[in-house]
Amino acid sequence: MQAIEQLCSNLNAGKENNMTKWECPCGYVYDPEEGDTENGISAGTAFEDLPEDWVCPKCGAQKDFFEPVD
Ligand SMILES: [Zn+2]
């Protein structure tokens, strides 16, 4: 059990780096853990760190339209 708790705390520590998911009005969800590799965004890129000209790969909406997901 202790090993699992240790693993969990390590995972949580890694999530401090703004791994919040963001949802587009069209339903697309940007997951920082996956990034948007088809558009040159590597996995682990926080939404805040996306380039200003990044748009939703599904509908083309700008970042301003996205809402954070709990
Ligand atoms: Zn969209």
Side-chain angles (χ1 to χ4, degrees):
M1 272 318 258
Q2 220 165 6
I4 291 175
E5 280 170 23
Q6 182 65 44
L7 181 62
C8 285
S9 76
N10 285 348
L11 285 173
N12 286 335
K15 287 191 177 179
E16 278 176 28
N17 194 14
N18 268 329
M19 289 291 106
T20 307
K21 295 179 183 179
W22 286 69
E23 183 171 14
C24 181
C26 79
Y28 168 84
V29 175
Y30 177 76
D31 183 351
E33 289 181 30
E34 296 181 7
D36 179 17
T37 50
E38 284 178 29
N39 294 291
I41 307 297
S42 31
T45 304
F47 186 80
E48 290 82 355
D49 292 335
L50 290 169
E52 283 305 312
D53 59 355
W54 181 85
V55 294
C56 171
K58 278 200 173 170
C59 74
Q62 294 176 320
K63 287 174 68 181
D64 292 349
F65 290 91
F66 282 68
E67 301 271 358
V69 181
D70 289 332

